[in-house]
Amino acid sequence: MAEGDGARRGEPTENSVGSAFVPLLMMEDLLDKLKLLGYESSFCAAYGVRPFSRHYFAMQADSSHSQFYHFAAMVTWLMSLLGRKMEQVQEYDDPNVTVSLLLTALKAGGVAVNFPPARLKQGHGEYVLQVLDSLAEMALRQLNWKWDVPRHGDDAETGDADVDEMDDEVEDETAEVRTGQGDFDEIADETAMVEGSDDDDDEGLSLTGIKTSLMDDTMATMAPPKEALISRADATEWKLEVERILPTLRVQIRADDKDWRVRKTQIGKHETSIDAQLTDTRQQLTKLHDDVSKAVEKIASREKYINAQLSDALADFRKLNDTCAETTTRYTGSSGGVTSLTSMLASLTDELDSVKSEMDEYGASMADAGPLVRLKQALTRLKADVVDAEMRCGVMEHVLVTAAMKQKSALQRDLNIERATLTSNRYGEFNTV
């Protein structure tokens, strides 16, 4: 779709002189479509970005990362206008994963992707603009947008001047058509091809309609004139002008690799090339096969001769090999016994070390006078404790004896008091009697 738009506008191809200006023109056209879709109020407000300049996606920006993120976000927004939901891209996502998601969404949306995916990762350039322009065009069609016929103001002077200029240009173009009928045929064929690709365009003002009307006017001027036409242009200046604008008038139509006709032509060319090279290749392969067969036969005969000469040596080698296998078996068995004995020796060595350590400790304890000294000290402390205990017992005995004596005195005193009381009571009774 993008290639068709470029062909309708008469844009230069990659091989022409003005190919460097194609992205700039495409960006201006895209910006007009985005403004019609209201991206300034919806997209810019949603993503918090400023409106794009008219050369933003046409050339590399200062920050290529931000430029690629804005491109991915714009694709997501346009796909939402078309009613297709996409996963929201983030600014710091992996560019390869983001490009894969965009290509999947574009193919699902019916957008032709006839370029390497790495071109989209740049975030700018002709292919990025083709994708955005295709999506914007589809969004405008879904909104039933139609281009109206332009309405000019009623300016008499300007209109008269324009009419005079158009008359001069028509006369010059008529002379050109009459002097170069072959070039006109090429232009007519290219225009017919472009018109064939624009059958699905909406009615109204379009470049195809303008070209058709111009061609109709040109065909009308080709009618036999009533008077002889005299060219007022200088032939030298005319040739220089033609040489200057000729590169911009070339239109290159790219072949579509998916077309079955192109593929059939390629298959025919490949088949012819294979048939031309098959003869020489077959002779070389036949010669190679013969040489390889002879070499194999020589190797087989040499092998038989060597086997016959080395039969005795091979028999001796087999015997020695069997003997070596038996010796290896015996060695393996002996190695197992050595391993068990080694482990037993290690355990006995550990026991011997423990017994030696115990004996050393016992001998050290026998020659050491420390326990006797500690015993004497314990006896001294014990005697002191016994003396202290005897002293405490004497004190306690004295206290007990003193208490008993006090108690006995108190009992004797109480008994005497009772006796005196009884005696006094008896005397009183006796006196009474």
Side-chain angles (χ1 to χ4, degrees), residues 199-216:
D199 292 339
D200 56 344
D201 289 347
D202 296 333
E203 296 180 356
L205 180 61
S206 63
L207 294 177
T208 304
I210 293 174
K211 289 183 179 181
T212 304
S213 61
L214 289 176
M215 291 299 298
D216 293 339

Side-chain angles (χ1 to χ4, degrees), residues 6 83 112 160 177 181 192 194 198 202-203 216 221 231 233 236 243 247 254 256 262 285 313 330 345 378 406:
D160 295 339
V177 170
Q181 183 65 29
V194 173
D198 293 338
D202 296 333
E203 296 180 356
D216 293 339
T221 58
S231 177
T236 303
E243 291 178 358
R254 299 177 182 176
D256 189 4
V262 177
L285 291 176
R330 290 196 302 270
L345 177 62
K406 289 180 179 181

Side-chain angles (χ1 to χ4, degrees), residues 186-321:
E186 294 179 359
I187 296 174
D189 294 338
E190 294 173 358
T191 306
M193 294 176 63
V194 173
E195 290 176 354
S197 63
D198 293 338
D199 292 339
D200 56 344
D201 289 347
D202 296 333
E203 296 180 356
L205 180 61
S206 63
L207 294 177
T208 304
I210 293 174
K211 289 183 179 181
T212 304
S213 61
L214 289 176
M215 291 299 298
D216 293 339
D217 296 339
T218 305
M219 293 297 294
T221 58
M222 289 181 61
K226 297 180 180 180
E227 297 179 358
L229 296 178
I230 300 174
S231 177
R232 293 176 295 177
D234 187 4
T236 303
E237 295 180 357
W238 179 261
K239 290 181 180 180
L240 292 175
E241 183 68 18
V242 170
E243 291 178 358
R244 186 181 67 84
I245 67 172
L246 185 59
T248 61
L249 295 178
R250 294 177 183 175
V251 178
Q252 181 181 1
I253 301 176
R254 299 177 182 176
D256 189 4
D257 295 337
K258 296 182 180 181
D259 190 3
W260 66 272
R261 298 179 182 84
V262 177
R263 292 189 177 183
K264 184 178 180 182
T265 304
Q266 293 177 354
I267 290 171
K269 292 180 181 179
H270 294 327
E271 184 178 3
T272 304
S273 177
I274 291 171
D275 292 339
Q277 298 177 3
L278 182 60
T279 304
D280 298 336
T281 306
R282 183 177 294 173
Q283 293 178 357
Q284 295 176 0
L285 291 176
T286 303
K287 184 178 179 181
L288 181 62
H289 178 266
D290 296 338
D291 294 340
V292 172
S293 300
K294 292 178 181 179
V296 170
E297 291 177 357
K298 289 181 180 180
I299 292 171
S301 62
R302 294 290 178 85
E303 185 178 359
K304 290 179 182 179
Y305 175 76
I306 293 172
N307 290 333
Q309 294 292 328
L310 298 178
S311 59
D312 297 336
L314 289 173
D316 296 337
F317 175 75
R318 291 190 184 94
K319 290 180 181 179
L320 293 175
N321 193 12

Side-chain angles (χ1 to χ4, degrees), residues 97-251:
V97 177
T98 304
V99 169
S100 178
L101 294 175
L102 293 179
L103 290 177
T104 303
L106 291 174
K107 291 179 181 179
V111 179
V113 183
N114 298 326
F115 48 82
R119 296 295 183 90
L120 296 182
K121 194 163 60 174
Q122 299 176 357
H124 68 279
E126 183 177 357
Y127 298 103
V128 171
L129 292 170
Q130 287 181 6
V131 171
L132 295 177
D133 186 75
S134 301
L135 294 176
E137 188 72 25
M138 295 170 64
L140 289 175
R141 289 184 182 180
Q142 188 169 357
L143 295 175
N144 296 325
W145 176 268
K146 294 182 180 180
W147 297 94
D148 295 334
V149 179
R151 300 176 182 177
H152 302 287
D154 297 333
D155 191 349
E157 296 179 357
T158 304
D160 295 339
D162 293 339
V163 169
D164 294 338
E165 293 178 359
M166 290 180 63
D167 292 338
D168 294 338
E169 292 177 359
V170 169
E171 290 178 2
D172 294 339
E173 291 176 359
T174 304
E176 180 185 357
V177 170
R178 293 190 177 278
T179 55
Q181 183 65 29
D183 295 338
F184 175 76
D185 294 338
E186 294 179 359
I187 296 174
D189 294 338
E190 294 173 358
T191 306
M193 294 176 63
V194 173
E195 290 176 354
S197 63
D198 293 338
D199 292 339
D200 56 344
D201 289 347
D202 296 333
E203 296 180 356
L205 180 61
S206 63
L207 294 177
T208 304
I210 293 174
K211 289 183 179 181
T212 304
S213 61
L214 289 176
M215 291 299 298
D216 293 339
D217 296 339
T218 305
M219 293 297 294
T221 58
M222 289 181 61
K226 297 180 180 180
E227 297 179 358
L229 296 178
I230 300 174
S231 177
R232 293 176 295 177
D234 187 4
T236 303
E237 295 180 357
W238 179 261
K239 290 181 180 180
L240 292 175
E241 183 68 18
V242 170
E243 291 178 358
R244 186 181 67 84
I245 67 172
L246 185 59
T248 61
L249 295 178
R250 294 177 183 175
V251 178

